[in-house]
Amino acid sequence: MPTVKAERAARTRQKILLAAAEVFDEVGYERASVTRIVERAGLTLGALYFHFGSKQGLAEALMNAQPATIEPHLESSGLQRLVDITLVWADRMQRDPILRAGVRLAVEQGSHGMNDATSFEEWRALMRSHLDVARADGELRESVSPERVARFVVGACTGMQTYSHLTTKRADLMERVSDMWQLLLPGVAAEAVVHDIQTNPERIPVAEL
Amino acid sequence: MPTVKAERAARTRQKILLAAAEVFDEVGYERASVTRIVERAGLTLGALYFHFGSKQGLAEALMNAQPATIEPHLESSGLQRLVDITLVWADRMQRDPILRAGVRLAVEQGSHGMNDATSFEEWRALMRSHLDVARADGELRESVSPERVARFVVGACTGMQTYSHLTTKRADLMERVSDMWQLLLPGVAAEAVVHDIQTNPERIPVAEL
């Protein structure tokens, strides 16, 4: 059972993450100051350095918090689970500032001298695990490599959100993810299941939102 | 016929673009100074401001120079042309600093307060034009929308290069593009042509390189 102290530390950490996500979103990483972040959080610089070490440590924590935030409350497995994860992700990108900041920092990190593929590799491993289930269940075409599909979907989702952000502030991201699966499933899914996989954004229940 | 003066102006402009591409690549946009760029180019600040107005103007010129640099010297049309453009692009990303800087600035622009989708929309329009040819030639599946395929491919290529850059400095980008087409063609191409489209990186002749 977590102690009161541990719970308070976790809340403090989360407050700093949220404030940092908002400030990075408003002014970009380079111009975000740690002072502004702790003021927003109503905390001290000491708390920020205790939990994250530095502004870069904070950025790394945000980047690497992504996959953990996506757990669709849907009964699905294999290919359908993979589709559901990407749809929930697309929806959350519009309403979860911590997820949004994590993705944006991961994509833009080159411009602030970072080079950390961890969050991409974690997404790939998560997707790979569901594709391995799909393979075991006979859901994949024989010729398809779960590893290459996972790698491709992570890259494609990354770029779709960059493009969608610039044109519609991500309002069309779920539609783009749904389009991706409609284009991709005939080349990925076995004929027996290709028409069973649901790709419409409406399948994500309101409770997720 | 361009005058000697116009030719010199074009050469000066190109020298500044190349120097800026290199400096942005080394230190990122925020930390790149115009002084460093003109020193690298062996030119004056006056020349930079005359041609581009500002550092941001230079960044916009680099972002929007992308599609014009990709013209595969291959006899192909329709879907094969689209595949060829993406393969040549993937190859050039490793060796053309102006293209690389343009793509990187377009992806990372959010971190320096820019919000310009022009280069994405130009790529989309270019791809759309070849998909319209593909449709007219009966190369596309009935259910496929050329517009949505174009939009998806632009987003997917954007994200693949971000991910590939972080893990292999883009050494595997051509392989990733080839993978994309192998996954995507069954959902995009009509059955009559799906096995005729070549997606192997080796089809890009050495003369392109």
Side-chain angles (χ1 to χ4, degrees):
Chain A
M1 199 198 303
T3 63
V4 173
K5 205 170 156 186
E7 273 174 13
R8 197 169 51 208
R11 268 204 310 278
T12 299
R13 190 176 186 282
Q14 199 63 16
K15 265 190 196 168
I16 299 171
L17 277 179
L18 182 60
E22 290 175 359
V23 174
F24 288 151
D25 200 35
E26 286 163 19
V27 300
Y29 177 81
E30 287 288 338
R31 278 166 284 183
S33 79
V34 286
T35 313
R36 185 158 170 181
I37 291 167
V38 294
E39 274 170 9
R40 173 79 55 104
L43 291 162
T44 63
L45 273 176
L48 186 149
Y49 290 122
F50 174 77
H51 284 282
F52 301 100
S54 64
K55 185 167 96 168
Q56 185 172 330
L58 196 45
E60 282 163 5
L62 280 167
M63 288 196 283
N64 299 334
Q66 294 172 51
T69 69
I70 303 295
E71 193 51 57
H73 300 144
L74 286 166
E75 298 263 341
S76 56
S77 70
L79 264 184
Q80 185 66 63
R81 188 75 179 169
L82 188 58
V83 172
D84 290 344
I85 287 172
T86 58
L87 286 172
V88 170
W89 169 82
D91 177 63
R92 290 274 176 80
M93 282 294 286
Q94 290 169 72
R95 54 193 89 242
D96 178 346
I98 291 182
L99 176 64
R100 195 160 54 222
V103 171
R104 191 172 147 180
L105 286 164
V107 169
E108 296 175 0
Q109 59 181 300
S111 90
H112 11 99
M114 279 185 268
N115 190 66
D116 181 356
T118 310
S119 63
F120 292 82
E121 298 294 41
E122 284 184 359
W123 277 115
R124 185 182 50 70
L126 177 69
M127 295 192 176
R128 170 69 194 266
S129 70
H130 295 294
L131 284 157
D132 285 341
V133 172
R135 157 95 344 130
D137 290 350
E139 289 186 342
L140 300 186
R141 279 168 72 129
E142 284 290 336
S143 61
V144 160
S145 148
E147 180 64 23
R148 287 178 185 231
V149 175
R151 186 171 79 165
F152 175 67
V153 171
V154 172
C157 286
T158 302
M160 280 193 291
Q161 75 78 31
T162 301
Y163 189 6
S164 167
H165 177 50
L166 285 170
T167 51
T168 68
K169 298 264 174 211
R170 302 196 187 88
D172 66 3
L173 186 54
M174 283 189 91
E175 181 191 288
R176 286 177 184 244
V177 168
S178 180
D179 281 356
M180 172 180 77
W181 288 114
Q182 285 169 49
L183 293 171
L184 209 53
L185 283 174
V188 170
E191 279 194 34
V193 302
V194 69
H195 298 296
D196 299 335
I197 310 290
Q198 293 176 43
T199 61
N200 53 315
E202 292 71 29
R203 90 173 245 102
I204 306 303
V206 177
E208 288 292 335
L209 308 186
Chain B
M1 198 197 305
T3 62
V4 173
K5 204 170 157 188
E7 274 174 13
R8 196 168 53 206
R11 268 202 311 277
T12 298
R13 191 176 186 282
Q14 198 63 14
K15 264 191 197 169
I16 298 170
L17 276 180
L18 182 60
E22 290 174 359
V23 174
F24 288 151
D25 201 34
E26 286 162 20
V27 299
Y29 177 81
E30 287 288 338
R31 278 166 284 184
S33 78
V34 288
T35 312
R36 186 159 169 181
I37 292 167
V38 295
E39 275 171 8
R40 174 79 55 102
L43 291 162
T44 63
L45 273 176
L48 186 149
Y49 290 122
F50 174 76
H51 284 283
F52 301 100
S54 65
K55 186 166 96 168
Q56 185 171 331
L58 195 45
E60 283 164 3
L62 279 167
M63 288 197 283
N64 299 333
Q66 293 172 51
T69 69
I70 303 295
E71 193 51 59
H73 300 145
L74 286 166
E75 297 263 341
S76 56
S77 70
L79 263 185
Q80 185 65 64
R81 188 74 178 170
L82 188 58
V83 173
D84 289 345
I85 287 172
T86 58
L87 286 172
V88 170
W89 169 81
D91 177 64
R92 290 274 176 81
M93 282 294 286
Q94 290 169 73
R95 56 193 88 242
D96 179 347
I98 291 182
L99 176 64
R100 196 159 55 220
V103 170
R104 190 171 150 182
L105 286 163
V107 168
E108 296 174 1
Q109 60 181 298
S111 88
H112 10 99
M114 280 185 268
N115 190 67
D116 180 356
T118 309
S119 64
F120 292 81
E121 299 295 39
E122 284 185 0
W123 276 114
R124 186 183 48 69
L126 176 69
M127 294 193 176
R128 169 70 194 265
S129 71
H130 294 295
L131 284 157
D132 285 342
V133 172
R135 158 95 344 130
D137 290 350
E139 289 186 340
L140 301 186
R141 280 167 72 128
E142 284 291 336
S143 61
V144 159
S145 147
E147 180 63 22
R148 287 178 184 232
V149 175
R151 188 172 77 164
F152 176 67
V153 172
V154 172
C157 285
T158 301
M160 280 192 291
Q161 75 78 31
T162 301
Y163 189 6
S164 166
H165 177 50
L166 284 170
T167 51
T168 68
K169 298 262 172 211
R170 302 196 188 88
D172 66 3
L173 186 53
M174 283 187 91
E175 181 191 289
R176 286 177 184 244
V177 168
S178 181
D179 281 356
M180 171 180 78
W181 288 114
Q182 284 170 50
L183 294 171
L184 209 52
L185 283 175
V188 170
E191 278 195 35
V193 302
V194 70
H195 299 295
D196 299 335
I197 309 291
Q198 293 177 44
T199 61
N200 53 316
E202 292 71 30
R203 87 172 247 105
I204 306 303
V206 178
E208 289 292 334
L209 309 186

